[in-house]
Amino acid sequence: MTTAPSLSLSLAEMLPHSRPAQADRLLLLYGIRRTGAQGLHDAATAHAFMTAFGSHFRRPLLLLRALMAEVSKTSASPIQIAPCCCPRMTGGEAALLEVIGSVETQPERADLLLRDLLGVRHAGGTAATAHLLALAFREGGRPLD
């Protein structure tokens, strides 16, 4: 008699990365998680960005929504997203944060990571949106690097 493989994974296997220590990256992670789970027009994400960026919250929020829509549309497979309260990150979340955090200083590396994450050959439009989002964070006084 054969037994079925165990479907339970350890927490370390499901969530292999620690959440970022930097407050600005935590804000971005929160926005990614809320937008991914609750949709593009999530009020909690808008409130968090309004609180963090003040009256200039619209640009980073719009660019986050655009990025999440593009990632959803172009990804060859689903990207796992953990709940907002989770103290660890999935591999997909960590990769997306790394792409956005490094796109200004290492665009080739960020493009390669993004193509790998999405499972596509070309991710130019999504990379450009990630770059604009990183710039919006920087201009809002919340650099991600």
Side-chain angles (χ1 to χ4, degrees):
M1 175 181 259
T2 61
T3 59
S6 174
L7 295 177
S8 63
L9 296 173
S10 72
L11 184 61
E13 290 171 325
M14 291 187 308
L15 303 164
H17 303 278
S18 296
R19 74 178 189 181
Q22 184 196 30
D24 302 326
R25 284 188 179 226
L26 275 175
L27 173 65
L28 179 59
L29 177 63
Y30 178 79
I32 288 169
R33 286 179 171 178
R34 288 293 305 192
T35 304
Q38 303 299 323
L40 296 177
H41 301 290
D42 178 57
T45 305
H47 181 264
F49 274 52
M50 191 182 314
T51 302
F53 291 101
S55 62
H56 302 288
F57 76 97
R58 286 178 188 84
R59 183 171 174 235
L61 180 62
L62 177 70
L63 288 166
L64 174 67
R65 289 173 174 170
L67 178 67
M68 294 301 289
E70 286 182 33
V71 165
S72 177
K73 185 176 91 175
T74 60
S75 182
S77 60
I79 298 170
Q80 297 296 317
I81 296 176
C84 288
C85 61
C86 189
R88 298 190 58 83
M89 293 189 297
T90 67
E93 291 172 331
L96 194 52
L97 283 179
E98 185 60 30
V99 165
I100 299 166
S102 66
V103 72
E104 291 181 282
T105 57
Q106 300 172 314
E108 296 85 12
R109 179 177 178 272
D111 185 58
L112 182 63
L113 276 171
L114 186 59
R115 287 186 285 137
D116 186 52
L117 174 66
L118 299 177
V120 297
R121 288 183 183 229
H122 304 286
T126 309
T129 305
H131 193 182
L132 289 172
L133 178 58
L135 286 173
F137 265 72
R138 179 174 305 287
E139 291 170 0
R142 299 188 165 279
L144 298 169
D145 49 8

Short mmCIF file of all heavy atoms in Angstrom, two decimals, residues 77-139:
data_model
loop_
_atom_site.label_atom_id
_atom_site.label_comp_id
_atom_site.label_asym_id
_atom_site.label_seq_id
_atom_site.Cartn_x
_atom_site.Cartn_y
_atom_site.Cartn_z
N SER A 77 1.91 32.19 -14.11
CA SER A 77 1.32 31.39 -13.04
C SER A 77 1.04 32.30 -11.84
O SER A 77 1.62 33.38 -11.73
CB SER A 77 2.27 30.25 -12.63
OG SER A 77 3.49 30.78 -12.18
N PRO A 78 0.16 31.87 -10.94
CA PRO A 78 -0.16 32.72 -9.79
C PRO A 78 1.06 32.96 -8.90
O PRO A 78 1.92 32.10 -8.75
CB PRO A 78 -1.20 31.90 -9.01
CG PRO A 78 -1.72 30.89 -9.98
CD PRO A 78 -0.62 30.64 -10.96
N ILE A 79 1.12 34.15 -8.33
CA ILE A 79 2.18 34.51 -7.39
C ILE A 79 1.56 34.46 -6.00
O ILE A 79 0.56 35.14 -5.73
CB ILE A 79 2.74 35.91 -7.71
CG1 ILE A 79 3.38 35.90 -9.10
CG2 ILE A 79 3.74 36.34 -6.65
CD1 ILE A 79 3.75 37.27 -9.62
N GLN A 80 2.15 33.66 -5.14
CA GLN A 80 1.63 33.47 -3.79
C GLN A 80 1.81 34.74 -2.97
O GLN A 80 2.87 35.36 -2.98
CB GLN A 80 2.34 32.32 -3.09
CG GLN A 80 2.12 30.98 -3.78
CD GLN A 80 0.66 30.55 -3.75
OE1 GLN A 80 -0.01 30.67 -2.73
NE2 GLN A 80 0.17 30.06 -4.87
N ILE A 81 0.75 35.12 -2.24
CA ILE A 81 0.78 36.29 -1.38
C ILE A 81 0.31 35.85 0.00
O ILE A 81 -0.73 35.21 0.14
CB ILE A 81 -0.12 37.42 -1.92
CG1 ILE A 81 0.41 37.91 -3.26
CG2 ILE A 81 -0.23 38.56 -0.93
CD1 ILE A 81 -0.44 38.95 -3.92
N ALA A 82 1.06 36.22 1.01
CA ALA A 82 0.72 35.88 2.39
C ALA A 82 -0.28 36.90 2.95
O ALA A 82 -0.42 38.00 2.41
CB ALA A 82 1.98 35.86 3.25
N PRO A 83 -0.96 36.56 4.04
CA PRO A 83 -1.85 37.54 4.68
C PRO A 83 -1.07 38.74 5.21
O PRO A 83 0.12 38.65 5.50
CB PRO A 83 -2.46 36.74 5.85
CG PRO A 83 -2.27 35.31 5.50
CD PRO A 83 -1.02 35.24 4.66
N CYS A 84 -1.75 39.85 5.36
CA CYS A 84 -1.09 41.09 5.78
C CYS A 84 -0.41 40.98 7.14
O CYS A 84 0.61 41.61 7.37
CB CYS A 84 -2.11 42.22 5.83
SG CYS A 84 -2.62 42.76 4.21
N CYS A 85 -0.96 40.18 8.02
CA CYS A 85 -0.42 40.08 9.38
C CYS A 85 0.77 39.13 9.48
O CYS A 85 1.40 39.05 10.53
CB CYS A 85 -1.51 39.62 10.33
SG CYS A 85 -2.17 37.98 9.91
N CYS A 86 1.11 38.46 8.41
CA CYS A 86 2.16 37.45 8.44
C CYS A 86 3.55 38.09 8.58
O CYS A 86 3.88 39.02 7.84
CB CYS A 86 2.11 36.60 7.19
SG CYS A 86 3.18 35.18 7.26
N PRO A 87 4.37 37.61 9.52
CA PRO A 87 5.69 38.21 9.72
C PRO A 87 6.76 37.71 8.75
O PRO A 87 7.91 38.11 8.85
CB PRO A 87 6.03 37.80 11.16
CG PRO A 87 5.31 36.52 11.33
CD PRO A 87 4.05 36.62 10.53
N ARG A 88 6.39 36.86 7.81
CA ARG A 88 7.34 36.34 6.83
C ARG A 88 6.78 36.57 5.43
O ARG A 88 5.61 36.93 5.28
CB ARG A 88 7.61 34.86 7.07
CG ARG A 88 8.25 34.66 8.46
CD ARG A 88 8.76 33.28 8.68
NE ARG A 88 9.76 32.83 7.72
CZ ARG A 88 11.05 33.10 7.79
NH1 ARG A 88 11.51 33.86 8.75
NH2 ARG A 88 11.89 32.61 6.89
N MET A 89 7.60 36.38 4.39
CA MET A 89 7.18 36.62 3.02
C MET A 89 7.32 35.36 2.17
O MET A 89 8.20 34.54 2.41
CB MET A 89 8.06 37.69 2.36
CG MET A 89 7.92 39.07 2.91
SD MET A 89 8.80 40.29 1.89
CE MET A 89 10.49 39.78 2.02
N THR A 90 6.48 35.28 1.16
CA THR A 90 6.62 34.21 0.18
C THR A 90 7.77 34.57 -0.76
O THR A 90 8.23 35.71 -0.80
CB THR A 90 5.33 34.06 -0.65
OG1 THR A 90 5.15 35.23 -1.45
CG2 THR A 90 4.11 33.82 0.23
N GLY A 91 8.20 33.60 -1.54
CA GLY A 91 9.25 33.86 -2.52
C GLY A 91 8.83 34.90 -3.55
O GLY A 91 9.63 35.74 -3.97
N GLY A 92 7.57 34.84 -3.98
CA GLY A 92 7.07 35.81 -4.95
C GLY A 92 7.05 37.22 -4.41
O GLY A 92 7.42 38.18 -5.11
N GLU A 93 6.63 37.38 -3.16
CA GLU A 93 6.63 38.71 -2.54
C GLU A 93 8.05 39.25 -2.43
O GLU A 93 8.30 40.42 -2.74
CB GLU A 93 6.00 38.64 -1.15
CG GLU A 93 4.53 38.37 -1.13
CD GLU A 93 4.00 38.12 0.25
OE1 GLU A 93 4.75 37.62 1.13
OE2 GLU A 93 2.81 38.43 0.48
N ALA A 94 8.96 38.41 -1.98
CA ALA A 94 10.35 38.83 -1.82
C ALA A 94 10.94 39.24 -3.16
O ALA A 94 11.65 40.25 -3.25
CB ALA A 94 11.18 37.72 -1.18
N ALA A 95 10.64 38.47 -4.20
CA ALA A 95 11.16 38.80 -5.53
C ALA A 95 10.59 40.12 -6.03
O ALA A 95 11.32 40.96 -6.58
CB ALA A 95 10.85 37.67 -6.51
N LEU A 96 9.30 40.34 -5.85
CA LEU A 96 8.67 41.58 -6.30
C LEU A 96 9.24 42.79 -5.54
O LEU A 96 9.53 43.83 -6.16
CB LEU A 96 7.15 41.50 -6.13
CG LEU A 96 6.32 42.54 -6.84
CD1 LEU A 96 6.66 42.65 -8.32
CD2 LEU A 96 4.84 42.24 -6.67
N LEU A 97 9.43 42.66 -4.24
CA LEU A 97 10.05 43.75 -3.47
C LEU A 97 11.48 44.01 -3.94
O LEU A 97 11.91 45.16 -4.04
CB LEU A 97 10.06 43.42 -1.99
CG LEU A 97 8.76 43.59 -1.23
CD1 LEU A 97 8.94 43.21 0.22
CD2 LEU A 97 8.22 44.99 -1.35
N GLU A 98 12.21 42.94 -4.25
CA GLU A 98 13.59 43.10 -4.72
C GLU A 98 13.61 43.78 -6.08
O GLU A 98 14.47 44.62 -6.34
CB GLU A 98 14.28 41.74 -4.79
CG GLU A 98 15.73 41.80 -5.15
CD GLU A 98 16.58 42.61 -4.17
OE1 GLU A 98 16.24 42.67 -2.98
OE2 GLU A 98 17.58 43.22 -4.62
N VAL A 99 12.69 43.44 -6.95
CA VAL A 99 12.60 44.09 -8.26
C VAL A 99 12.37 45.58 -8.10
O VAL A 99 13.10 46.40 -8.66
CB VAL A 99 11.47 43.45 -9.12
CG1 VAL A 99 11.13 44.33 -10.32
CG2 VAL A 99 11.87 42.06 -9.58
N ILE A 100 11.37 45.95 -7.31
CA ILE A 100 11.04 47.36 -7.14
C ILE A 100 12.16 48.10 -6.42
O ILE A 100 12.48 49.24 -6.76
CB ILE A 100 9.69 47.51 -6.40
CG1 ILE A 100 8.58 46.85 -7.21
CG2 ILE A 100 9.37 48.98 -6.15
CD1 ILE A 100 7.29 46.65 -6.45
N GLY A 101 12.79 47.45 -5.45
CA GLY A 101 13.86 48.09 -4.69
C GLY A 101 15.15 48.27 -5.46
O GLY A 101 15.94 49.15 -5.15
N SER A 102 15.39 47.43 -6.47
CA SER A 102 16.67 47.51 -7.19
C SER A 102 16.53 48.02 -8.62
O SER A 102 17.54 48.18 -9.30
CB SER A 102 17.33 46.12 -7.22
OG SER A 102 16.56 45.22 -7.99
N VAL A 103 15.33 48.31 -9.07
CA VAL A 103 15.13 48.69 -10.47
C VAL A 103 15.83 50.01 -10.82
O VAL A 103 16.25 50.20 -11.96
CB VAL A 103 13.63 48.73 -10.82
CG1 VAL A 103 12.93 49.91 -10.17
CG2 VAL A 103 13.42 48.72 -12.32
N GLU A 104 15.99 50.90 -9.87
CA GLU A 104 16.66 52.18 -10.15
C GLU A 104 18.17 52.03 -10.30
O GLU A 104 18.78 52.67 -11.14
CB GLU A 104 16.36 53.18 -9.04
CG GLU A 104 14.93 53.66 -9.00
CD GLU A 104 14.73 54.66 -7.89
OE1 GLU A 104 14.63 54.27 -6.73
OE2 GLU A 104 14.71 55.87 -8.24
N THR A 105 18.76 51.19 -9.47
CA THR A 105 20.22 51.07 -9.46
C THR A 105 20.75 49.90 -10.28
O THR A 105 21.86 49.97 -10.77
CB THR A 105 20.72 50.91 -8.00
OG1 THR A 105 20.09 49.77 -7.41
CG2 THR A 105 20.42 52.16 -7.19
N GLN A 106 19.95 48.85 -10.43
CA GLN A 106 20.37 47.67 -11.17
C GLN A 106 19.23 47.22 -12.10
O GLN A 106 18.62 46.18 -11.88
CB GLN A 106 20.73 46.53 -10.22
CG GLN A 106 21.87 46.86 -9.29
CD GLN A 106 22.06 45.78 -8.24
OE1 GLN A 106 21.11 45.32 -7.64
NE2 GLN A 106 23.30 45.38 -8.05
N PRO A 107 18.95 47.99 -13.14
CA PRO A 107 17.79 47.69 -13.98
C PRO A 107 17.87 46.34 -14.69
O PRO A 107 16.84 45.67 -14.86
CB PRO A 107 17.74 48.84 -14.98
CG PRO A 107 19.07 49.49 -14.92
CD PRO A 107 19.64 49.20 -13.58
N GLU A 108 19.06 45.93 -15.11
CA GLU A 108 19.18 44.64 -15.81
C GLU A 108 18.85 43.48 -14.87
O GLU A 108 18.15 42.55 -15.23
CB GLU A 108 20.59 44.44 -16.40
CG GLU A 108 20.96 45.45 -17.47
CD GLU A 108 21.52 46.74 -16.91
OE1 GLU A 108 21.85 46.80 -15.69
OE2 GLU A 108 21.62 47.71 -17.67
N ARG A 109 19.37 43.57 -13.65
CA ARG A 109 19.10 42.53 -12.66
C ARG A 109 17.61 42.50 -12.31
O ARG A 109 17.00 41.44 -12.21
CB ARG A 109 19.93 42.80 -11.41
CG ARG A 109 19.71 41.80 -10.30
CD ARG A 109 20.65 42.11 -9.11
NE ARG A 109 20.41 41.20 -8.04
CZ ARG A 109 19.50 41.38 -7.08
NH1 ARG A 109 18.75 42.45 -7.08
NH2 ARG A 109 19.35 40.48 -6.12
N ALA A 110 17.03 43.67 -12.13
CA ALA A 110 15.60 43.76 -11.81
C ALA A 110 14.76 43.18 -12.93
O ALA A 110 13.79 42.45 -12.69
CB ALA A 110 15.22 45.20 -11.53
N ASP A 111 15.13 43.46 -14.18
CA ASP A 111 14.39 42.93 -15.32
C ASP A 111 14.49 41.41 -15.37
O ASP A 111 13.49 40.72 -15.62
CB ASP A 111 14.91 43.54 -16.62
CG ASP A 111 14.10 43.11 -17.82
OD1 ASP A 111 12.88 43.35 -17.83
OD2 ASP A 111 14.69 42.51 -18.75
N LEU A 112 15.67 40.87 -15.11
CA LEU A 112 15.85 39.42 -15.09
C LEU A 112 15.02 38.77 -13.98
O LEU A 112 14.35 37.76 -14.21
CB LEU A 112 17.33 39.08 -14.92
CG LEU A 112 17.69 37.60 -14.93
CD1 LEU A 112 17.34 36.96 -16.27
CD2 LEU A 112 19.16 37.42 -14.61
N LEU A 113 15.04 39.37 -12.79
CA LEU A 113 14.23 38.85 -11.68
C LEU A 113 12.74 38.90 -12.02
O LEU A 113 12.00 37.96 -11.72
CB LEU A 113 14.48 39.67 -10.42
CG LEU A 113 15.67 39.33 -9.56
CD1 LEU A 113 15.87 40.39 -8.48
CD2 LEU A 113 15.50 37.98 -8.93
N LEU A 114 12.32 39.99 -12.62
CA LEU A 114 10.91 40.16 -12.96
C LEU A 114 10.47 39.15 -14.01
O LEU A 114 9.41 38.52 -13.89
CB LEU A 114 10.64 41.58 -13.43
CG LEU A 114 9.18 41.95 -13.67
CD1 LEU A 114 8.35 41.77 -12.41
CD2 LEU A 114 9.08 43.38 -14.16
N ARG A 115 11.30 38.96 -15.04
CA ARG A 115 10.96 37.96 -16.07
C ARG A 115 10.89 36.57 -15.47
O ARG A 115 10.00 35.78 -15.82
CB ARG A 115 11.97 38.00 -17.22
CG ARG A 115 11.78 39.23 -18.10
CD ARG A 115 12.66 39.22 -19.32
NE ARG A 115 14.04 39.53 -18.93
CZ ARG A 115 15.11 38.90 -19.38
NH1 ARG A 115 14.99 37.91 -20.23
NH2 ARG A 115 16.32 39.27 -18.99
N ASP A 116 11.80 36.27 -14.55
CA ASP A 116 11.78 34.97 -13.88
C ASP A 116 10.53 34.82 -13.01
O ASP A 116 9.89 33.77 -13.01
CB ASP A 116 13.05 34.80 -13.05
CG ASP A 116 13.17 33.42 -12.45
OD1 ASP A 116 13.04 32.43 -13.21
OD2 ASP A 116 13.39 33.31 -11.23
N LEU A 117 10.18 35.86 -12.27
CA LEU A 117 9.00 35.82 -11.41
C LEU A 117 7.73 35.62 -12.22
O LEU A 117 6.87 34.83 -11.86
CB LEU A 117 8.90 37.12 -10.60
CG LEU A 117 7.64 37.31 -9.75
CD1 LEU A 117 7.58 36.27 -8.64
CD2 LEU A 117 7.59 38.72 -9.19
N LEU A 118 7.63 36.35 -13.33
CA LEU A 118 6.41 36.29 -14.15
C LEU A 118 6.38 35.09 -15.09
O LEU A 118 5.33 34.72 -15.59
CB LEU A 118 6.26 37.58 -14.97
CG LEU A 118 6.12 38.87 -14.17
CD1 LEU A 118 6.05 40.06 -15.11
CD2 LEU A 118 4.92 38.82 -13.25
N GLY A 119 7.56 34.52 -15.36
CA GLY A 119 7.63 33.39 -16.28
C GLY A 119 7.41 33.80 -17.72
O GLY A 119 6.81 33.06 -18.50
N VAL A 120 7.91 34.98 -18.09
CA VAL A 120 7.76 35.49 -19.45
C VAL A 120 9.12 35.87 -20.01
O VAL A 120 10.08 36.05 -19.27
CB VAL A 120 6.81 36.71 -19.50
CG1 VAL A 120 5.41 36.32 -19.07
CG2 VAL A 120 7.32 37.85 -18.66
N ARG A 121 9.19 36.01 -21.33
CA ARG A 121 10.46 36.40 -21.97
C ARG A 121 10.72 37.89 -21.93
O ARG A 121 11.85 38.34 -21.86
CB ARG A 121 10.49 35.93 -23.42
CG ARG A 121 10.64 34.45 -23.56
CD ARG A 121 10.72 34.09 -25.02
NE ARG A 121 10.80 32.66 -25.15
CZ ARG A 121 11.69 32.05 -25.90
NH1 ARG A 121 12.55 32.76 -26.60
NH2 ARG A 121 11.70 30.75 -25.97
N HIS A 122 9.64 38.66 -22.00
CA HIS A 122 9.77 40.12 -22.02
C HIS A 122 8.83 40.72 -20.98
O HIS A 122 7.65 40.41 -20.96
CB HIS A 122 9.44 40.68 -23.40
CG HIS A 122 10.26 40.07 -24.50
ND1 HIS A 122 11.59 40.39 -24.67
CD2 HIS A 122 9.96 39.16 -25.44
CE1 HIS A 122 12.06 39.70 -25.70
NE2 HIS A 122 11.10 38.94 -26.17
N ALA A 123 9.37 41.58 -20.15
CA ALA A 123 8.56 42.22 -19.11
C ALA A 123 8.85 43.72 -19.07
O ALA A 123 8.84 44.34 -18.02
CB ALA A 123 8.85 41.59 -17.76
N GLY A 124 9.10 44.30 -20.25
CA GLY A 124 9.49 45.71 -20.32
C GLY A 124 8.46 46.65 -19.75
O GLY A 124 8.81 47.58 -19.01
N GLY A 125 7.19 46.46 -20.06
CA GLY A 125 6.15 47.35 -19.56
C GLY A 125 6.00 47.25 -18.05
O GLY A 125 5.87 48.26 -17.35
N THR A 126 6.05 46.04 -17.55
CA THR A 126 5.93 45.82 -16.10
C THR A 126 7.16 46.38 -15.39
O THR A 126 7.05 46.98 -14.31
CB THR A 126 5.75 44.33 -15.79
OG1 THR A 126 4.67 43.82 -16.59
CG2 THR A 126 5.43 44.10 -14.34
N ALA A 127 8.34 46.21 -15.98
CA ALA A 127 9.57 46.76 -15.39
C ALA A 127 9.51 48.29 -15.36
O ALA A 127 9.95 48.91 -14.39
CB ALA A 127 10.79 46.29 -16.17
N ALA A 128 8.97 48.89 -16.40
CA ALA A 128 8.85 50.35 -16.44
C ALA A 128 7.90 50.84 -15.35
O ALA A 128 8.17 51.85 -14.68
CB ALA A 128 8.36 50.80 -17.81
N THR A 129 6.81 50.13 -15.13
CA THR A 129 5.87 50.51 -14.07
C THR A 129 6.52 50.35 -12.70
O THR A 129 6.35 51.19 -11.82
CB THR A 129 4.58 49.67 -14.17
OG1 THR A 129 4.04 49.82 -15.48
CG2 THR A 129 3.56 50.11 -13.15
N ALA A 130 7.30 49.28 -12.52
CA ALA A 130 8.02 49.07 -11.26
C ALA A 130 9.01 50.21 -11.02
O ALA A 130 9.15 50.70 -9.89
CB ALA A 130 8.74 47.73 -11.27
N HIS A 131 9.66 50.65 -12.09
CA HIS A 131 10.61 51.76 -11.98
C HIS A 131 9.89 53.05 -11.58
O HIS A 131 10.35 53.79 -10.71
CB HIS A 131 11.34 51.93 -13.31
CG HIS A 131 12.54 52.82 -13.21
ND1 HIS A 131 13.30 53.13 -14.28
CD2 HIS A 131 13.10 53.50 -12.18
CE1 HIS A 131 14.28 53.94 -13.91
NE2 HIS A 131 14.17 54.17 -12.65
N LEU A 132 8.76 53.32 -12.20
CA LEU A 132 7.99 54.52 -11.85
C LEU A 132 7.49 54.46 -10.41
O LEU A 132 7.47 55.48 -9.72
CB LEU A 132 6.82 54.69 -12.82
CG LEU A 132 7.20 55.10 -14.24
CD1 LEU A 132 5.98 55.04 -15.16
CD2 LEU A 132 7.81 56.48 -14.25
N LEU A 133 7.10 53.27 -9.95
CA LEU A 133 6.66 53.12 -8.57
C LEU A 133 7.82 53.40 -7.61
O LEU A 133 7.64 54.10 -6.60
CB LEU A 133 6.10 51.72 -8.34
CG LEU A 133 5.64 51.39 -6.92
CD1 LEU A 133 4.57 52.37 -6.44
CD2 LEU A 133 5.14 49.96 -6.85
N ALA A 134 8.99 52.88 -7.91
CA ALA A 134 10.17 53.14 -7.07
C ALA A 134 10.49 54.64 -7.04
O ALA A 134 10.81 55.19 -5.98
CB ALA A 134 11.37 52.35 -7.58
N LEU A 135 10.38 55.29 -8.20
CA LEU A 135 10.61 56.75 -8.25
C LEU A 135 9.57 57.52 -7.44
O LEU A 135 9.89 58.49 -6.76
CB LEU A 135 10.60 57.24 -9.69
CG LEU A 135 11.83 56.90 -10.53
CD1 LEU A 135 11.60 57.29 -11.99
CD2 LEU A 135 13.06 57.59 -9.98
N ALA A 136 8.31 57.07 -7.50
CA ALA A 136 7.26 57.74 -6.73
C ALA A 136 7.51 57.61 -5.23
O ALA A 136 7.30 58.57 -4.48
CB ALA A 136 5.90 57.14 -7.10
N PHE A 137 7.98 56.45 -4.81
CA PHE A 137 8.33 56.29 -3.40
C PHE A 137 9.49 57.21 -3.03
O PHE A 137 9.46 57.86 -1.98
CB PHE A 137 8.69 54.83 -3.09
CG PHE A 137 7.54 54.01 -2.56
CD1 PHE A 137 6.50 53.62 -3.38
CD2 PHE A 137 7.50 53.62 -1.23
CE1 PHE A 137 5.45 52.87 -2.90
CE2 PHE A 137 6.46 52.87 -0.73
CZ PHE A 137 5.42 52.49 -1.56
N ARG A 138 10.52 57.26 -3.88
CA ARG A 138 11.68 58.11 -3.60
C ARG A 138 11.26 59.58 -3.53
O ARG A 138 11.64 60.31 -2.62
CB ARG A 138 12.76 57.92 -4.66
CG ARG A 138 13.99 58.82 -4.42
CD ARG A 138 15.11 58.55 -5.37
NE ARG A 138 15.53 57.17 -5.39
CZ ARG A 138 16.23 56.55 -4.42
NH1 ARG A 138 16.57 57.21 -3.34
NH2 ARG A 138 16.57 55.29 -4.54
N GLU A 139 10.48 60.03 -4.52
CA GLU A 139 10.05 61.43 -4.54
C GLU A 139 9.11 61.77 -3.38
O GLU A 139 9.00 62.92 -2.99
CB GLU A 139 9.41 61.75 -5.89
CG GLU A 139 10.41 61.76 -7.02
CD GLU A 139 9.77 61.83 -8.40
OE1 GLU A 139 8.51 61.87 -8.49
OE2 GLU A 139 10.53 61.82 -9.38
#
